[in-house]
Amino acid sequence: MMNKKLGAKILGTGAYFPKKILTNSDLEKVIETSDEWISSRTGIKERRLSEKNEYTSDLAYKASLEALKAANITPEEIDLILVATITPDMFFPSTACFLQKKLNLRSIPVFDLSAACSGFIYGIATARAFIESGLYEKILLIGADELSKITDWTDRNTCVLFGDGAGAMILTASEEDNNILSTYIGADGSYSDLLFIPAGGTANPANIDTVNEKLHTIKMKGRDVFKAAVPKMALAAQKAIELSGQKIENIRLFIPHQANIRIIEAVAKKIGVSMDRVFINIHKTGNISSATTITALDEAIKTGKIQKGDLVELVAFGGGFTWGATVIRI
Ligand code: ACO
C-alpha cells in the first residue's frame, strides 16, 4: 500500500518581547528626530529593547516555551531546531546550540539560518522540506533578533526603525493535516551593499578602526531598500498564492514583514488587497527582522483575528536582498 504524502502541521506558536519599551519621545531626547517624523514615515511608535545580559537565545527560549505550551508537547519530542537570526549570541556556536542547551536537549541536530528579514519564511520553507521528505518529524522553528545590539544609536536614519523580539512555531509531520500550502523564496545578492553590516566578518575583521568607525552596525540606503522591497514583496505574495492553488480573495489575513507602514501599504495596493485584510503591529514592535512575521502571526492567532481554517499569507523582504512568502491554513 502506498504511504500518504506527508504534510507539515502547525502544532503551536509563541512569542516573546523584552520588557523595556523605547518610545519615539524617548528617542526625541537623544537624537534630532520627532514622534511626528517617525510615525508618519514608518508607522512606528515604540519598540522593545533587550537588556545587556539578555541574548537572542534568551528571547528564543522564552518564545519556544510558549510554543511548546501551545503545542502541548515536551521539549524532548523535538527532533530538529532551526533558528532564523542575523543577531546570533556569538559567531559560533550557533544560537540554535545555545537554545538547545537552555531547553536541556542533547544530540538532536540544530542550526541557524541567515536570510535577514525573510529569515522566518526561509525557515518555514526549510522545515517544510525536512518534514515532507520524512527526515524529521517535529521541528522547533524560531525567528529571533536583537537589532538594538547592531544599531548605531547616533544614526537617526536607522536607529528609529529597529527593535528586539522572538517568535516560535512547532511543526510536525502529518498524513491528515497540511497547514503549509505553499512556500516561495528568492534572493538577489547584487543588492548586498544597500543594507548590511560592513565589518566583523572575514571581509573586514574587527579591529580598533572598525569599532571607531562604527562599522559593526547596520548601514542602509533607505530609499533604495524601500524601492526594491515593494515589487519583491508583491511578487512573493502573488507567487506563493499561485503555488498554493488558492485565490487572493480567499486569503483572510496578510501578515507582511513589519519594516515600514508605507512599504506595507504600497505592497497591499500593488496586489489589490485592502488594508483591513492586512495585519499591522509595527507601531509597538518596530522592525524585528526574522521575528516580525511569526510574532505577528502569533498575535493574530491569540487575539482571535484569525480562526482555525482561515487562510493566511506571510510575506517578507530583507537584506541580501532576500524575499519570500508562504500561504498557511491555520
Ligand atoms: N528623524 C527626522 N528626520 C530624519 C530622520 C529621523 N529619524 N531620518 C532621516 N531624516 C531626514 C533625512 O536626513 C532627510 O533630511 P534632508 O531632506 O534634510 O536630507 C529627510 O529626513 C528625508 O530622508 P529620507 O531618507 O529621504 O526619508 P524617507 O522618506 O526615504 O524615509 C526611511 C526614510 C523611513 C528609512 C525609508 O526610506 C524606509 O523605510 N526605507 C525602507 C528601509 C527599511 O525598512 N529598512 C529595514 C530593513 S529592510 C526591510 O526590512 C524591508
Side-chain angles (χ1 to χ4, degrees):
M1 198 174 72
M2 286 271 288
N3 282 340
K4 273 205 214 161
K5 193 175 178 302
L6 286 175
K9 177 180 178 181
I10 299 172
L11 285 182
T13 61
Y16 181 77
F17 290 95
K19 298 279 169 285
K20 198 199 290 174
I21 295 174
L22 183 75
T23 64
N24 290 349
S25 25
D26 294 331
L27 278 167
E28 281 175 356
K29 292 176 195 133
V30 288
I31 51 163
E32 207 185 319
T33 192
S34 65
D35 174 44
E36 200 283 317
W37 192 98
I38 303 170
S39 308
S40 62
R41 301 279 179 134
T42 71
I44 301 166
K45 297 295 278 184
E46 61 185 45
R47 65 291 286 147
R48 298 296 181 109
L49 300 192
S50 51
E51 299 295 335
K52 206 172 165 192
N53 62 353
E54 187 177 28
Y55 312 136
T56 300
S57 64
D58 293 316
L59 309 190
Y61 174 65
K62 287 179 176 152
S64 300
L65 293 185
E66 276 239 351
L68 286 160
K69 201 166 135 200
N72 198 21
I73 64 164
T74 62
E76 291 69 31
E77 291 176 63
I78 300 291
D79 55 14
L80 177 74
I81 298 175
L82 292 179
V83 178
T85 187
I86 48 162
T87 49
D89 291 18
M90 296 180 188
F91 250 145
F92 74 89
S94 67
T95 301
C97 277
F98 290 118
L99 173 61
Q100 182 194 31
K101 185 176 167 189
K102 285 172 184 158
L103 288 168
N104 211 9
L105 296 175
R106 302 278 186 279
S107 81
I108 59 164
V110 309
F111 64 92
D112 286 3
L113 192 156
S114 171
C117 305
S118 314
F120 194 78
I121 309 290
Y122 270 65
I124 288 194
T126 309
R128 177 190 185 208
F130 274 134
I131 284 174
E132 289 186 358
S133 69
L135 211 49
Y136 298 105
E137 194 183 324
K138 280 197 179 56
I139 298 180
L140 169 59
L141 171 63
I142 310 289
D145 269 307
E146 293 190 347
L147 295 182
S148 69
K149 301 216 174 137
I150 55 165
T151 293
D152 175 357
W153 287 100
T154 63
D155 175 14
R156 70 175 184 174
N157 291 296
T158 53
C159 77
V160 301
L161 301 173
F162 303 120
D164 303 340
M169 176 184 277
I170 293 167
L171 299 119
T172 189
S174 170
E175 288 186 350
E176 284 77 40
D177 301 301
N178 176 26
N179 294 127
I180 311 296
L181 304 193
S182 70
T183 45
Y184 171 79
I185 51 177
D188 186 345
S190 66
Y191 290 104
S192 51
D193 58 339
L194 295 183
L195 181 55
F196 69 125
I197 294 182
T202 55
N204 203 359
N207 59 48
I208 191 74
D209 295 329
T210 62
V211 172
N212 288 338
E213 289 164 27
K214 297 188 174 158
L215 299 182
H216 297 273
T217 54
I218 299 172
K219 309 295 169 209
M220 181 183 73
K221 295 203 177 90
R223 283 202 170 177
D224 295 328
V225 174
F226 196 115
K227 274 190 226 151
V230 175
K232 290 302 184 199
M233 284 177 79
L235 170 91
Q238 282 158 342
K239 287 273 187 197
I241 290 171
E242 209 177 294
L243 290 168
S244 71
Q246 296 290 330
K247 292 205 162 59
I248 197 158
E249 50 270 30
N250 297 340
I251 307 288
R252 172 86 180 79
L253 191 67
F254 289 84
I255 303 185
H257 171 50
Q258 311 280 311
N260 181 318
I261 187 74
R262 292 184 299 141
I263 293 179
I264 296 173
E265 284 166 354
V267 173
K269 192 170 170 205
K270 210 168 168 57
I271 62 174
V273 167
S274 56
M275 284 301 287
D276 58 336
R277 288 166 67 206
V278 179
F279 188 83
I280 303 290
N281 66 357
I282 192 172
H283 51 284
K284 50 187 184 178
T285 64
N287 180 349
I288 38 175
S289 196
S290 313
T292 58
T293 47
I294 175 58
T295 49
L297 174 68
D298 182 69
E299 188 182 330
I301 292 171
K302 303 235 160 99
T303 55
K305 238 184 156 22
I306 42 178
Q307 315 287 340
K308 204 167 166 41
D310 283 344
L311 286 175
V312 176
E313 183 173 41
L314 313 188
V315 191
F317 175 87
F321 290 140
T322 59
W323 53 86
T326 177
V327 173
I328 293 174
R329 190 183 294 284
I330 293 302

